[in-house]
Amino acid sequence: DAKTTQPPSMDCAEGRAANLPCNHSTISGNEYVYWYRQIHSQGPQYIIHGLKNNETNEMASLIITEDRKSSTLILPHATLRDTAVYYCIVRETSGGGADGLTFGKGTHLIIQP
Amino acid sequence: GAGVSQSPSNKVTEKGKDVELRCDPISGHTALYWYRQRLGQGLEFLIYFQGNSAPDKSGLPSDRFSAERTGESVSTLTIQRTQQEDSAVYLCASSLGPGRYTEAFFGQGTRLTVV
């Protein structure tokens, strides 16, 4: 019952922009799109989240399509340290009830030197 | 503390023994999550605490697994009569709560090995 679909793996050359796609065609109006990443042998790390507007922070940019059925995480200048599994998650944040973050299989991004 | 702290970082136990894993969340974070990650696998949700609400235990795999949280601070995950399939990294995360402030911060995990 995964709410998101991501490619299992991607390669990107060091210094180039890494564009990671995510499909979430069943997203509902009060669900946000979150991105986390997990570098080998570490706990997951929050990257960015958004509702419908594009978002940017010091780590990445998040582009959400107008119909909100898909999004793209952009790492503008990928480095070797960005090699990790990237998880796209949709999550209701209405403020009520128990809502564990549910992680799918993610995309294993490999940055090539 | 600066982040989520978990202890021990590594635990080796014999099959059939009980183990307790501890999580110290970030101060002020009302939400706390436990996950399990088997080698080469994704994160498996176990349990979620939010303030004084009843915890969401829907991810606990069996009645050998239980967790407690004291107020909005320390949480303990207990596994009774451990089995080899319990071997995994157990990750804890905390966040300010549901709603707008829901970025979850993860600890480094406890690597449990059942021999």
Side-chain angles (χ1 to χ4, degrees):
Chain A
D1 62 345
K3 292 185 175 181
T4 64
T5 304
Q6 298 177 253
S9 66
M10 290 181 62
D11 287 352
C12 179
E14 188 178 16
R16 298 291 188 120
N19 298 288
L20 292 93
C22 179
N23 287 325
H24 31 79
S25 58
T26 61
I27 193 169
S28 62
N30 58 351
E31 286 183 317
Y32 283 68
V33 180
Y34 281 76
W35 284 83
Y36 284 77
R37 74 179 182 184
Q38 188 174 25
I39 295 169
H40 183 61
S41 298
Q42 296 184 21
Q45 175 190 25
Y46 164 82
I47 301 173
I48 199 168
H49 76 283
L51 183 62
K52 49 184 159 182
N53 296 323
N54 297 338
E55 302 288 343
T56 295
N57 63 20
E58 65 278 5
M59 289 183 69
S61 295
L62 174 61
I63 309 299
I64 303 174
T65 58
E66 193 169 340
D67 63 8
R68 303 211 319 124
K69 293 186 176 182
S70 65
S71 60
T72 301
L73 179 75
I74 301 172
L75 307 178
H77 305 287
T79 71
L80 297 178
R81 289 175 295 180
D82 292 322
T83 293
V85 178
Y86 287 76
Y87 296 97
C88 169
I89 301 162
V90 296
R91 184 180 185 211
E92 181 179 337
T93 56
S94 62
D99 56 341
L101 283 172
T102 302
F103 288 76
K105 296 187 184 300
T107 295
H108 187 193
L109 175 67
I110 300 171
I111 306 302
Q112 304 283 2
Chain B
V4 177
S5 177
Q6 291 187 245
S7 61
S9 54
N10 282 284
K11 175 73 176 178
V12 180
T13 190
E14 293 180 352
K15 179 180 172 182
K17 294 287 181 72
D18 297 351
V19 294
E20 281 190 356
L21 312 180
R22 177 186 170 106
C23 173
D24 285 87
I26 293 173
S27 178
H29 281 194
T30 62
L32 187 147
Y33 311 79
W34 281 100
Y35 292 84
R36 176 171 71 178
Q37 189 170 33
R38 293 192 169 112
L39 185 65
Q41 303 295 312
L43 279 81
E44 180 185 357
F45 167 71
L46 296 178
I47 188 168
Y48 165 74
F49 295 90
Q50 170 53 45
N52 295 319
S53 301
D56 176 356
K57 303 180 181 180
S58 61
L60 294 178
S62 77
D63 59 7
R64 297 187 295 106
F65 287 73
S66 63
E68 292 183 350
R69 188 179 186 193
T70 307
E72 294 183 351
S73 60
V74 172
S75 176
T76 303
L77 177 69
T78 302
I79 309 173
Q80 296 177 310
R81 305 181 302 282
T82 53
Q83 304 294 313
Q84 287 185 327
E85 63 262 27
D86 300 334
S87 295
V89 175
Y90 289 81
L91 289 156
C92 175
S94 71
S95 68
L96 277 170
R100 292 177 60 84
Y101 305 105
T102 51
E103 294 94 287
F105 297 86
F106 282 79
Q108 292 303 301
T110 293
R111 182 176 298 279
L112 175 66
T113 304
V114 181
V115 297

